[in-house]
Amino acid sequence: MTTVLTTCPFCTCGCGLHLQADHGHLIGSAPSEHHPVGQGKLCARGWHAHEAPTWGQRLTRPLLRRGGEQVEASWAEAVDEVFRGLSGVLAAGDSVGVLGSARATNEENFLAVKLVRGALQTGNVDFCLRAGLQPVVDGIAEVTGDPWPPGRLLDLERSEVILLFEGNLAETHPRAASLVAAAVKRGARLVTVGWHRTHMSRLAARHLPVDSGAGYEVITGFLAAVLSGDQEAGTGTVTPDPGSEALRASLAGLSVDDPVREAATWYASAARASIVVSEGALLPDEARNGAAALAMLAAVTGHLGRAGSALLLLPSRGNQRGALEVGVRPDALPGGLPFDDEVMIAKLRRHWSREPSLVTGLDAEAMVAGCRGLVVVAEDLPAVIQAGRAGLDVLANHRFVVVLDSFATATARAAHAVLPVAAFGETDGTTTSLDGRVQRVRACVSPPGIARPGWQVLAELISRFGLPCTYGSIGDLHREMTDLVPLFAEIGEGQLDESWGALVSRPATGPEVRLRAVDLGRRDPVEGPCAAVFDEAFDWGSDPSVVHAPTLCRDHVARRKLFPTGFVEMNKVDADRLGVKPGWAVRLTSKHGEVTVPVVVSGEVAPGMARLPFSARDRVGVVLGGRGRAGVRVERV
Amino acid sequence: MRPANDVHGRDPGASRLLAKSDLVSWIRRLMDDAEVIAPATGAGGDLMFAPVSDPEAVWLGPGNPLQPPKQYVLPQTDPIVRIERNGGGVQVSSISDERTRVIFGMRSCDARGMAYLRRMQATDLPDDAYLRRADRVTVVTLACTTPCTLGFCVCCDAGPFARDGHDVQLVDLGDRFLAEGATERGRAMVAEAPFRPATQVDVVKRDELEREAERHFGDESAHLGAAMRRISTRRVAEELWEAMSPWCFECGGCNFICPTCYCFSVKDRCQDHGWERCRTWDSCQYSAFTLEASGHNPRERRKDRIKRRFFHKVSAQYYQRDGAVGCVGCGRCVQTCLGTTDMPAVVAAIRKGVWHG
């Protein structure tokens, strides 16, 4: 039996675990007792991390489309065909795009950037889940100057007050939820803000129920309360500036409910207080303003940058922060640096021996819709784009689609060339946690068939497109990344070889906090007797690394096992009104369409709401018309 | 003529001595015939039961690995049957793990866990796959002369010195180990050089160490007996389970880390030419654990699953059936529980009738 220490690949908490293998198969996962985040704990996903690559339908050999069929090929044939296919698209004057992924390692994502900006000389590089994350990151950066403000996950445990804006923290980020629970046990006041009664709301001193996605209104209420002057507005100090006056003025006259006012007082007067915001807690159109308002709330109360007080943004999927940091975005260089950063450009030029492309490219949605050539690195489009499975139809318009993946996903089946790459547990690399720990993932077993580590495949593709790219080991690649990725530059020599990796410290936020007026414009009301919404959180039930893992996709969540093609969750009050019992079918009708699904009665969902699983949006998404929520009529069938 | 047994009913002849300077060579000798599993500091500074390659690295100091040695008799994923296509039909063959193993440096709590597991697997319908593997495992325990931080084995009658589940028990006497053979296999292992007979002084010293170790636990204990009385006479209010429910995050860690938990699921692992049917660890805290094919789930609510777990662990009904509580007091669930519903916390809540989180 062999054991390696690695980092959990699922949510962004970044717990350490020992993967176990016997006879070349992954057979178990166990928590790392001394890991700084996990501390001997794992969630259900972590305990079954070994299942995903073991049970998934794996790609073992390169596949090339011949007629309507995908046939096996050698690596040399496959790489040649990819070169010819994409070159053909470029020669015809059409564009090629590359999709990185929150499921890929930092090394794979970095090489995706190198492929685009170095080899293909374009700017079309992005990952699908960036769309939800970027506005939140931008909103925070607008105020603090740093998209990832200081504060660690472990700060939660010692916070006296925690404001939690969540989708469903216990489901999406169980380790973070466990730290919040530990704080509550120590006497902390937890305030949950959300539209349904989640697991965490049952631990809360106060739950502030809001209409779907109306977290922003509560945030502005908090701000108004702490700035209203009828109480001491925080214990911190803020440099007076015009923005501060504008902020006050914009909130003047805003009426604030007493429960919000009281919770705001708790937060402002605590010595250590944290804000936790899940990426999905804010509707897309208010995400940036909401995140900025949260950062201002932390700033005006003196909690921003204070030791023990954290402002934590929780991305939904494994390595989203890492993908952003290494530059998987069409509008910036690695580290989010602008295209006129001469120092970075000089470094890129030196390492790549050519001029890097400095153009703003297409974003992921536009690439899927508008490019004629596409390279997809470790992503299954139906799992990560709003359109769900319909997004695959668009791929038929592409002249050449290349998919690098470990699993035979729907996207891989639609590709012209499929390059099989190693999965979690089979490759070395790093991932970045939500609080900036760059941690090691390690190979415990070999990939199946002739599949190869993704970073090696990408390096070969880059070389094939004329940019010499050979690394003797992943250490060589790290040396290049240390120079080109700002977060990696802060990692000490040899730190990545050590047991977990590196905790990268960022400078505490200085006095450059920028306050501004908040926009109080209200959202359009939902038409209809019932508001249907997706489960806000990215749902693991649609992720290829989970959907194949038997414990994770079926046994852990009973309702998913019972209703694999989708369901709707409703409050018992609504179910009784309709005269339906659990499992009975109801028809949901909106102006976008209709769908008939079985009912799951849930106390978490408020009366008048209907919650649809993100993972089944292929089937149920039609009523939402590609949006996050819609008014619906519900009838018993 | 055999010497008379002492006041504890022990055969003094079964107690032997091993000089500490001979320990490494003994482990090396064991490695000639078996895969030796022992605690060693692994990656990240974590103490783990792992196959020994360097006997010098075996850790016999304080502490117990977070992961019990259960995985060496009941792996998290355990292929049981191979199913292969054979012409128009399928061929089914059993898969057995024939490795001979010595688990070295195990503590009394884990030895009790092994004994508990064996009893479960050997009674009613004996589990051949389990027993074939377990029969090839020899257990050498190290008595806990200094109790660990989180353990409460004295409350479960599972320590700090081993009573069952082991073949040989070592007791650290300073510059030497007292080695007690508990089974035929164990006695044979310590019969020859470098082992030599123990003296009465050594045996007296050993008993003093055991009493001293028990005293270390003080008056604090998990009071399993009191909890058993309440839980077996239905004197635990439903509201208590309800109050606990949000403090469990359904990670399953309490089950996976527990030396006595054995519940499993069955899953088929796809192979090149067929499948392998695997036994995989399962958790009674998962919502689909009791989901029936009809769609009915008798324990859909989390509070019912927590209640069921502790009923199985500490009720008189199961105590009578199994001859032991389903807890060995190792304290691992205290560390690994993602929430706060570990054994001592829940037992205290049952006993006092209140839950504080």
Side-chain angles (χ1 to χ4, degrees):
Chain A
M1 195 177 292
T2 54
T3 302
V4 301
L5 181 62
T6 189
T7 307
C8 179
F10 296 118
C11 81
T12 41
C13 292
C15 299
L17 59 86
H18 296 282
L19 266 185
Q20 298 158 347
D22 198 20
H23 293 113
H25 291 291
L26 294 176
I27 62 158
S29 310
S32 167
E33 187 177 4
H34 294 100
H35 188 272
V37 177
Q39 298 176 338
K41 303 171 196 295
L42 286 176
C43 67
R45 281 193 293 268
W47 273 107
H48 297 91
H50 61 285
E51 280 194 356
T54 312
W55 258 267
Q57 191 184 349
R58 297 296 305 275
L59 295 164
T60 58
R61 308 184 70 83
L63 300 171
L64 297 175
R65 184 167 295 284
R66 296 280 179 263
E69 300 265 304
Q70 285 180 327
V71 298
E72 291 185 353
S74 70
W75 273 107
E77 290 168 331
V79 171
D80 274 348
E81 176 120 340
V82 169
F83 176 69
R84 279 197 304 274
L86 295 179
S87 299
V89 173
L90 292 169
D94 292 319
S95 51
V96 170
V98 176
L99 289 177
S101 169
R103 185 152 66 84
T105 61
N106 287 330
E107 291 69 24
E108 289 161 349
N109 279 325
F110 172 76
L111 290 173
V113 175
K114 187 170 179 176
L115 176 63
V116 171
R117 297 203 179 273
L120 297 174
Q121 290 289 302
T122 145
N124 300 332
V125 61
D126 201 359
F127 64 105
C128 295
L129 291 177
R130 190 181 63 86
L133 181 66
Q134 193 72 55
V136 187
V137 166
D138 289 346
I140 292 174
E142 193 186 328
V143 175
T144 67
D146 184 344
W148 304 97
R152 302 286 173 206
L153 202 52
L154 294 174
D155 290 337
L156 293 179
E157 195 172 10
R158 301 193 68 83
S159 294
E160 295 168 0
V161 174
I162 298 171
L163 304 184
L164 174 56
F165 297 82
E166 62 167 347
N168 187 350
L169 192 72
E171 175 74 18
T172 56
H173 299 81
R175 180 58 182 140
S178 115
L179 289 164
V180 171
V184 173
K185 190 179 177 187
R186 297 168 75 107
R189 282 177 165 141
L190 171 65
V191 179
T192 52
V193 182
W195 66 272
H196 56 266
R197 294 289 301 193
T198 61
H199 186 142
M200 299 311 290
S201 73
R202 296 172 65 194
L203 297 175
R206 173 141 311 157
H207 174 65
L208 300 174
V210 294
D211 183 15
S212 158
Y216 179 56
E217 288 162 21
V218 176
I219 299 168
T220 51
F222 277 129
L223 263 175
V226 299
L227 291 172
S228 61
D230 59 352
Q231 60 175 26
E232 285 300 311
T235 51
T237 54
V238 179
T239 312
D241 70 305
S244 176
E245 289 310 309
L247 173 62
R248 274 176 198 279
S250 69
L251 291 163
L254 185 72
S255 71
V256 181
D257 295 341
D258 286 345
V260 172
R261 187 176 296 279
E262 191 182 12
T265 309
W266 293 344
Y267 176 74
S269 57
R272 291 181 305 278
S274 294
I275 295 174
V276 180
V277 56
S278 298
E279 181 193 327
L282 300 164
L283 279 184
D285 56 2
E286 61 188 18
R288 181 172 179 139
N289 280 334
L294 279 174
M296 288 194 282
L297 177 63
V300 299
T301 52
H303 287 302
L304 192 66
R306 182 186 294 178
S309 290
L311 167 56
L312 287 175
L313 161 61
L314 307 183
S316 52
R317 184 66 177 83
N319 200 23
Q320 266 174 290
R321 176 168 177 176
L324 260 188
E325 299 268 6
V326 302
V328 186
R329 54 190 292 183
D331 57 349
L333 294 173
L337 296 176
F339 291 129
D340 58 2
D341 189 303
E342 287 301 331
V343 176
M344 173 57 80
I345 293 167
K347 286 194 224 170
L348 289 168
R349 196 183 288 135
R350 191 171 72 247
H351 278 279
W352 296 354
S353 304
R354 66 165 61 177
E355 288 297 322
S357 169
L358 301 172
V359 296
T360 298
L362 301 171
D363 66 20
E365 293 271 339
M367 265 190 259
V368 173
C371 285
R372 300 297 303 279
L374 195 63
V375 180
V376 183
V377 180
E379 202 71 286
D380 186 27
L381 296 182
V384 287
I385 58 175
Q386 198 66 31
R389 199 157 290 263
L392 281 182
D393 300 339
V394 185
L395 289 187
N397 301 332
H398 288 251
R399 277 185 53 193
F400 202 81
V401 177
V402 189
V403 171
L404 284 75
D405 210 320
S406 315
F407 302 104
T409 62
T411 309
R413 289 194 201 97
H416 299 86
V418 180
L419 306 179
V421 296
F424 170 74
E426 299 165 353
T427 187
D428 291 326
T430 61
T431 58
T432 306
S433 74
L434 65 92
D435 58 357
R437 293 173 191 274
V438 178
Q439 304 191 105
R440 287 295 307 266
V441 291
R442 293 186 171 89
C444 187
V445 293
S446 304
I450 58 171
R452 296 164 57 193
W455 63 271
Q456 292 180 8
V457 176
L458 282 160
E460 186 168 344
L461 285 182
I462 292 167
S463 296
R464 194 68 178 78
F465 279 95
L467 176 56
C469 187
T470 50
Y471 304 105
S473 70
I474 200 149
D476 291 347
L477 177 52
H478 283 157
R479 274 183 277 284
E480 181 175 329
M481 291 172 74
T482 301
D483 216 13
L484 296 181
V485 179
L487 195 65
F488 272 64
E490 297 169 39
I491 298 171
E493 177 74 27
Q495 263 186 299
L496 286 181
D497 301 327
E498 290 169 11
S499 52
W500 300 296
L503 169 61
V504 178
S505 301
R506 299 175 77 94
T509 304
E512 72 279 12
V513 171
R514 290 182 295 274
L515 304 179
R516 64 158 168 81
V518 294
D519 174 10
L520 294 177
R522 296 189 67 83
R523 292 166 302 120
D524 297 334
V526 170
E527 300 160 13
C530 189
V533 295
F534 274 136
D535 227 342
E536 299 99 325
F538 170 73
D539 190 313
W540 294 96
S542 60
D543 190 273
S545 61
V546 166
V547 77
H548 301 297
T551 306
L552 298 177
C553 72
R554 296 198 309 263
D555 296 357
H556 180 51
V557 183
R559 62 189 180 201
R560 197 176 290 148
K561 189 175 185 179
L562 268 178
F563 306 115
T565 58
F567 50 85
V568 58
E569 286 177 279
M570 300 177 71
N571 190 282
K572 187 168 186 307
V573 171
D574 291 329
D576 288 347
R577 186 175 49 76
L578 290 167
V580 294
K581 292 187 182 304
W584 291 18
V586 292
R587 185 186 301 117
L588 309 179
T589 311
S590 74
K591 64 182 178 185
H592 307 293
E594 65 171 50
V595 65
T596 300
V597 280
V599 166
V600 169
V601 175
S602 168
E604 288 187 357
V605 181
M609 305 293 282
R611 182 164 65 171
L612 296 163
F614 187 78
S615 59
R617 67 198 182 291
D618 289 337
R619 207 174 115 59
V620 301
V622 62
V623 288
L624 291 167
R627 302 171 65 87
R629 64 190 201 130
V632 289
R633 192 173 68 245
V634 187
E635 302 158 287
R636 174 177 160 182
V637 178
Chain B
M1 182 181 157
R2 289 174 63 83
N5 288 357
D6 72 2
V7 291
H8 300 291
R10 290 172 305 198
D11 172 5
S15 294
R16 310 275 291 171
L17 285 180
L18 175 71
K20 279 196 174 168
S21 54
D22 289 328
L23 179 71
V24 165
S25 62
W26 185 44
I27 296 175
R28 201 164 272 135
R29 222 166 64 196
L30 294 175
M31 287 167 68
D32 290 341
D33 302 320
E35 183 183 41
V36 178
I37 312 292
T41 303
D46 294 338
L47 201 56
M48 290 186 289
F49 282 104
V52 175
S53 53
D54 173 14
E56 306 266 6
V58 171
W59 173 257
L60 295 181
N64 204 9
L66 180 60
Q67 186 83 345
K70 175 170 81 171
Q71 55 181 312
Y72 292 100
V73 286
L74 191 65
Q76 191 169 359
T77 306
D78 188 12
I80 303 287
V81 173
R82 184 171 291 113
I83 306 161
E84 290 171 295
R85 288 195 185 87
N86 182 12
V90 291
Q91 185 176 332
V92 178
S93 53
S94 68
I95 304 171
S96 59
D97 185 349
E98 303 289 345
R99 281 172 281 194
T100 304
R101 286 176 166 137
V102 176
I103 306 185
F104 197 95
M106 192 191 284
R107 301 297 182 147
S108 62
C109 50
D110 289 333
R112 165 59 61 84
M114 298 283 260
Y116 187 96
L117 289 179
R118 171 169 255 289
R119 200 160 45 238
M120 295 313 304
Q121 305 286 358
T123 47
D124 273 354
L125 197 60
D127 186 315
D128 186 51
Y130 179 92
L131 293 173
R132 262 185 300 174
R133 182 187 278 120
D135 283 345
R136 291 178 169 273
V137 172
T138 303
V139 173
V140 179
T141 57
L142 176 65
C144 293
T145 46
T146 310
C148 56
T149 325
L150 298 173
F152 49 96
C153 55
V154 284
C155 312
C156 309
D157 193 28
F161 280 45
R163 307 230 190 291
D164 55 3
H166 62 295
D167 295 286
V168 175
Q169 171 162 251
L170 300 179
V171 183
D172 191 336
L173 299 181
D175 61 346
R176 61 203 186 281
F177 289 107
L178 185 78
E180 301 171 321
T183 60
E184 281 303 317
R185 191 192 287 176
R187 280 188 282 274
M189 284 169 74
V190 299
E192 293 171 12
F195 291 89
R196 62 180 198 276
T199 65
Q200 193 59 31
V201 174
D202 295 314
V203 175
V204 168
K205 170 81 172 159
R206 172 238 185 263
D207 290 346
E208 278 171 11
L209 286 170
E210 182 172 14
R211 282 194 298 276
E212 182 61 26
E214 284 171 356
R215 267 200 300 277
H216 273 299
F217 285 95
D219 295 332
E220 276 301 310
S221 73
H223 299 290
L224 287 168
M228 186 183 291
R229 280 192 294 280
R230 292 187 75 93
I231 209 166
S232 308
T233 51
R234 298 177 188 276
R235 285 189 291 141
V236 184
E238 284 298 306
E239 292 74 27
L240 191 71
W241 303 113
E242 184 68 49
M244 276 177 209
S245 154
W247 296 89
C248 167
F249 288 92
E250 292 186 42
C251 64
C254 55
N255 297 118
F256 304 142
I257 215 86
C258 181
T260 69
C261 275
Y262 49 81
C263 286
F264 62 92
S265 183
V266 177
K267 286 152 192 166
D268 287 346
R269 181 164 75 186
C270 190
Q271 296 289 285
D272 285 345
H273 305 292
W275 304 266
E276 283 175 356
R277 180 149 296 178
C278 300
R279 174 190 355 226
T280 60
W281 290 354
D282 204 349
S283 166
C284 57
Q285 301 305 292
Y286 290 168
S287 60
F289 182 74
T290 50
L291 182 62
E292 297 168 5
S294 66
H296 174 62
N297 191 345
R299 289 197 282 280
E300 194 169 1
R301 291 173 300 183
R302 190 181 298 131
K303 68 162 191 157
D304 292 330
R305 298 196 289 275
I306 299 174
K307 179 181 174 182
R308 175 64 194 171
R309 171 170 160 76
F310 287 93
F311 189 80
H312 193 174
K313 290 289 183 195
V314 294
S315 75
Q317 178 189 344
Y318 279 99
Y319 181 77
Q320 282 166 354
R321 190 192 78 170
D322 302 336
V325 288
C327 171
V328 296
C330 65
R332 290 183 172 99
C333 55
V334 180
Q335 180 165 7
T336 217
C337 178
L338 203 52
T340 58
T341 51
D342 54 77
M343 177 63 78
V346 175
V347 162
I350 292 169
R351 195 165 61 84
K352 296 172 183 168
V354 287
W355 174 257
H356 295 299

